[in-house]
Amino acid sequence: MNKEPISFIHIPKTAGTSFRRAAEKYFPEKSIIRNYGPKSPETQEGIRQLDLSKDQYPLVSFMKSSEWRFYCGHVNFNETCAFSSVNRMVAFVRDPVEQVISHYSHFKRWYGFEKSIEDFVQMRSTQNLQSKYLSSADIRMLGLIGVTEKFDESLEMFNSVFGCQFEPMRQNANDMKKEYDKDLKALISEPRTVPP
């Protein structure tokens, strides 16, 4: 097994929680570092205390001083490549329409979002989310891009590539297939420029 650490770019609503839980079962707790933002209870206390408002140096310094094996969080490619080998990075992607609708449901359920899904789709912060997380990455160089709709197969491929034995786990999963209005699909699929 390759001992070099693995970084997981956890794009919201792409089966990332299931993948993270599998990692948490596989790696010792002390070797896992979580970074889901300063307000998230999932974020490691040491990272939550860092001032990252000006640059990423404190995070890079923290990571270099840690004996980590698995790093995960709602972090983008640029933030992660400051301390992680690109070929040791993993991300999952999902059908964009399904990802947006699942993200909207999550916002309603956990954050009390009361506006319509059409309003949600128009919010700059929720547009092109998968592209934003992986922008500037040459995805051919990443260790693995898994596909949510092929989660078990992606996990098998991950185990083969990284020499791990992650077991399939399902967290926050909704296996119900729904039919969506064509206008809504068109609105979500409408091309938008990804901001820098």
Side-chain angles (χ1 to χ4, degrees):
M1 179 178 65
N2 188 331
K3 299 287 186 183
E4 191 177 353
I6 297 167
S7 291
F8 174 47
I9 299 169
H10 183 170
I11 302 168
K13 309 317 295 176
T14 59
T17 301
S18 296
F19 185 74
R20 191 187 80 209
R21 294 280 190 249
E24 289 169 343
K25 189 172 180 185
Y26 181 77
F27 288 112
E29 172 64 25
K30 64 181 181 180
S31 69
I32 297 173
I33 295 181
R34 298 172 198 82
N35 183 6
Y36 286 85
K39 295 181 180 178
S40 172
E42 298 286 350
T43 297
Q44 202 102 3
E45 188 59 36
I47 289 181
R48 194 180 294 126
Q49 295 172 356
L50 299 176
D51 179 7
L52 302 176
S53 59
K54 295 178 183 173
D55 60 49
Q56 294 293 308
Y57 179 76
L59 176 60
V60 173
S61 180
F62 178 87
M63 296 302 292
K64 286 185 176 178
S65 67
S66 303
E67 294 183 19
W68 64 286
R69 299 280 310 285
F70 186 82
Y71 173 79
C72 59
H74 292 323
V75 291
N76 66 39
F77 171 78
N78 285 338
E79 294 165 351
T80 309
C81 70
F83 55 81
S84 181
S85 300
V86 175
N87 66 353
R88 301 295 290 177
M89 290 186 197
V90 178
F92 275 77
V93 294
R94 181 179 187 179
D95 173 273
V97 172
E98 295 290 333
Q99 188 276 331
V100 168
I101 291 170
S102 181
H103 201 200
Y104 169 70
S105 297
H106 182 80
F107 261 60
K108 284 183 69 175
R109 186 169 58 249
W110 293 103
Y111 303 114
F113 189 79
E114 296 179 350
K115 294 183 180 179
S116 70
I117 190 165
E118 289 78 10
D119 290 328
F120 182 82
V121 170
Q122 298 293 341
M123 291 167 45
R124 186 173 179 154
S125 62
T126 61
Q127 292 176 2
N128 299 313
L129 202 60
Q130 297 181 92
S131 297
K132 286 176 186 174
Y133 273 75
L134 297 175
S135 67
S136 78
D138 182 344
I139 61 171
R140 295 170 299 179
M141 296 178 66
L142 266 66
L144 181 81
I145 299 285
V147 177
T148 303
E149 291 81 1
K150 301 274 186 185
F151 183 78
D152 290 348
E153 295 94 324
S154 296
L155 199 60
E156 284 180 22
M157 188 176 294
F158 167 83
N159 285 334
S160 175
V161 169
F162 288 89
C164 295
Q165 295 176 350
F166 282 22
E167 296 175 13
M169 303 185 80
R170 294 289 174 161
Q171 298 284 325
N172 293 336
N174 183 353
D175 293 327
M176 291 177 60
K177 282 288 176 192
K178 301 175 185 172
E179 288 299 317
Y180 301 107
D181 181 273
K182 288 182 181 179
D183 291 339
L184 176 59
K185 283 185 175 181
L187 178 65
I188 293 170
S189 302
E190 185 178 300
R192 294 178 174 86
T193 304
V194 180

